[in-house]
């Protein structure tokens, strides 16, 4: 499925030649929730091991495949929306795949800080403040206040009396939710390969299993 321009940094691509018409590429879409332990396991293994060790150094793979993160909010984790909003704020401010994936890695590394028990005595804006600081700590040229201002919920009604207007990333939350609902994805993580759910891929796969699958399918 296509990516809207505002979500273009969700795509991690490994080649950028403009000298000729681009070759058709395989696409691996990762439907992930930042507070899902199995999503963290899959992302961390891909981001820290499979991509840098197997895909990036190998032109026969890297020239033929793109990865796309599909942010999948899981409503039974109330904090899921807040954490995904923080990633969308970073996306708005940077529009950089490298920075978006870097912050995604940080969110997964710190996901226990945003589990239910960790937030039970915290207001929504207090959680946003922590997420904004985490973003600026992760990305050196990212301003904490700029992130927080996109996330914070006002304490007073809007000029039109609105009490439920959301924040500056609410429309982006609606967009990613619409996209994922159209595809009918429920479980995280879910992997879609070239438009078809790849149920065989597991968050528990070893490096050798990934290599075998990539060699077989990225041709």
């Amino acid at each position: 499925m296509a990516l809207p321009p505002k979500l273009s940094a969700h795509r991690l691509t490994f080649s950028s030649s403009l000298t000729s018409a681009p070759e058709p590429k395989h696409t691996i879409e990762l439907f992930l929730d930042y507070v899902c332990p199995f999503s963290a396991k899959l992302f961390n293994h891909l981001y820290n091991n499979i991509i840098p060790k197997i895909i990036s150094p190998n032109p026969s793979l890297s020239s033929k495949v793109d990865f796309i993160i599909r942010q999948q909010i899981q409503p039974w984790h109330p904090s899921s929306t807040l954490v995904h909003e923080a990633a969308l704020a970073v996306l708005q401010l940077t529009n950089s795949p490298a920075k978006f994936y870097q912050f995604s890695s940080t969110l997964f590394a710190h996901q226990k800080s945003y589990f239910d028990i960790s937030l039970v005595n915290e207001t929504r804006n207090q959680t946003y403040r922590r997420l904004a600081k985490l973003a600026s700590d992760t990305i050196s040229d990212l301003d904490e206040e700029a992130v927080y201002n996109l996330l914070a919920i006002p304490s007073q009604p809007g000029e039109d009396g609105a009490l439920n207007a959301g924040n500056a990333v609410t429309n982006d939350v609606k967009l990613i939710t619409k996209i994922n609902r159209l595809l009918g994805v429920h479980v995280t993580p879910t992997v879609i390969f070239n438009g078809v759910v790849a149920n065989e891929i597991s968050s528990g796969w070893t490096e050798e299993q990934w290599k075998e699958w990539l060699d077989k399918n990225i041709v």
Side-chain angles (χ1 to χ4, degrees):
M1 191 171 185
L3 271 177
K6 65 165 27 178
L7 301 179
S8 61
H10 279 171
R11 182 185 300 273
L12 186 63
T13 190
F14 303 95
S15 61
S16 57
S17 173
L18 298 178
T19 59
S20 60
E23 292 289 328
K25 284 190 174 186
H26 299 284
T27 303
I28 298 174
E29 299 175 75
L30 308 168
F31 291 76
L32 306 174
D33 176 29
Y34 290 118
V35 294
C36 165
F38 297 102
S39 292
K41 189 175 182 180
L42 177 63
F43 177 88
N44 289 336
H45 191 42
L46 280 169
Y47 186 72
N48 297 311
N49 296 303
I50 304 306
I51 290 173
K53 294 179 182 178
I54 296 177
I55 296 176
S56 292
N58 186 347
S60 66
L61 290 175
S62 61
S63 64
K64 296 178 181 177
V65 64
D66 286 347
F67 284 85
I68 296 175
I69 282 186
R70 298 289 192 184
Q71 294 180 238
Q72 177 81 7
I73 295 170
Q74 298 291 35
W76 49 87
H77 300 309
S79 63
S80 178
T81 298
L82 310 188
V83 180
H84 281 277
E85 285 178 320
L88 290 168
V90 169
L91 197 66
Q92 275 195 28
L93 292 169
T94 68
N95 195 31
S96 162
K99 292 177 180 179
F100 172 75
Y101 275 73
Q102 181 185 4
F103 186 50
S104 292
S105 180
T106 297
L107 287 175
F108 281 123
H110 290 81
Q111 68 173 195
K112 289 184 179 179
S113 297
Y114 302 97
F115 285 179
D116 290 351
I117 297 300
S118 302
L119 304 183
V120 69
N121 293 314
E122 193 168 79
T123 68
R124 182 172 173 182
N125 278 346
Q126 286 173 332
T127 303
Y128 285 147
R129 174 59 73 184
R130 286 203 294 124
L131 286 162
K133 184 177 188 306
L134 186 65
S136 67
D137 287 346
T138 301
I139 302 168
S140 59
D141 60 348
L142 192 60
D143 181 63
E144 178 182 335
E145 287 303 314
V147 179
Y148 181 73
N149 289 339
L150 291 178
L151 298 173
I153 299 296
S155 59
Q156 300 296 324
E159 293 182 0
D160 59 354
L163 300 174
N164 204 26
N167 56 28
V169 298
T170 296
N171 285 338
D172 292 345
V173 169
K174 292 178 180 179
L175 178 60
I176 64 171
T177 302
K178 287 176 183 177
I179 290 170
N180 295 359
R181 284 177 177 173
L182 283 171
L183 296 172
V185 172
H186 173 66
V187 174
T188 55
T190 290
V191 180
I192 290 183
F193 177 60
N194 291 342
V196 179
V197 175
N199 284 319
E200 70 273 19
I201 294 178
S202 167
S203 60
W205 267 15
T206 64
E207 191 171 309
E208 185 57 38
Q209 286 173 300
W210 267 108
K211 186 176 186 307
E212 181 182 350
W213 186 90
L214 289 165
D215 288 341
K216 177 182 176 182
N217 290 280
I218 308 302
V219 295

